[in-house]
Amino acid sequence: MTRSWDWVTGEGLLGLDDPAEWDAAFERGERNLGTAAIGLAFNCPLQEASPRLVRATQLPDTAQRGFAFTAVGTAARLNGALTPELYEVLRAAGPGRKSIAVNAVDDTLTFVPFRDLPPWLSGGWCT
């Protein structure tokens, strides 16, 4: 079944399950890539979604970048783990309660076993 995604309005993008479609949309400069990253987090294996989530956290649009961090938190919730690249994205976003990554970090701290967290994160990142 062929699906069409509405990249202008974002309609249907939470159901995105095709990393290649996300890649093509990224190359075209489509809108709502952060929203679509949440779809990838919901619908794709972590290893397939991870490189797209990393790219989405670098989007120029602040709202879409925020959605990308929501996707990272969603990935942590669903998988009980993140990839090393996603941990680095969280680290690069900076510590503290005002960081764009704060909710993703909270989800990671809640759903990833403590023993699996990188030392920098398990040591009080959000203070």
Side-chain angles (χ1 to χ4, degrees):
M1 172 176 152
T2 302
R3 297 182 188 177
S4 66
W5 313 102
D6 192 332
W7 292 98
V8 175
T9 67
E11 187 172 339
L13 292 177
L14 292 179
L16 186 67
D17 59 0
D18 183 354
E21 177 62 28
W22 193 95
D23 292 342
F26 182 83
E27 292 301 319
R28 292 190 308 267
E30 295 286 2
R31 296 174 46 187
N32 295 304
L33 288 162
T35 304
I38 298 171
L40 293 177
F42 275 127
N43 300 302
C44 295
L46 180 59
Q47 292 299 328
E48 288 183 31
S50 178
R52 285 88 185 172
L53 302 186
V54 169
R55 277 185 259 154
T57 63
Q58 307 304 312
L59 292 168
D61 180 88
T62 303
Q64 288 303 307
R65 202 167 53 251
F67 290 140
F69 280 101
T70 297
V72 174
T74 299
R77 284 174 173 258
L78 295 175
N79 296 286
L82 291 176
T83 63
E85 296 80 14
L86 289 173
Y87 283 121
E88 284 307 310
V89 163
L90 294 180
R91 188 176 198 175
R97 299 311 287 155
K98 293 184 180 185
S99 170
I100 192 169
V102 69
N103 292 327
V105 169
D106 287 346
D107 286 345
T108 301
L109 292 171
T110 301
F111 294 99
V112 175
F114 185 79
R115 68 184 175 278
D116 296 338
L117 294 172
W120 64 266
L121 185 55
S122 60
W125 184 87
C126 289
T127 57

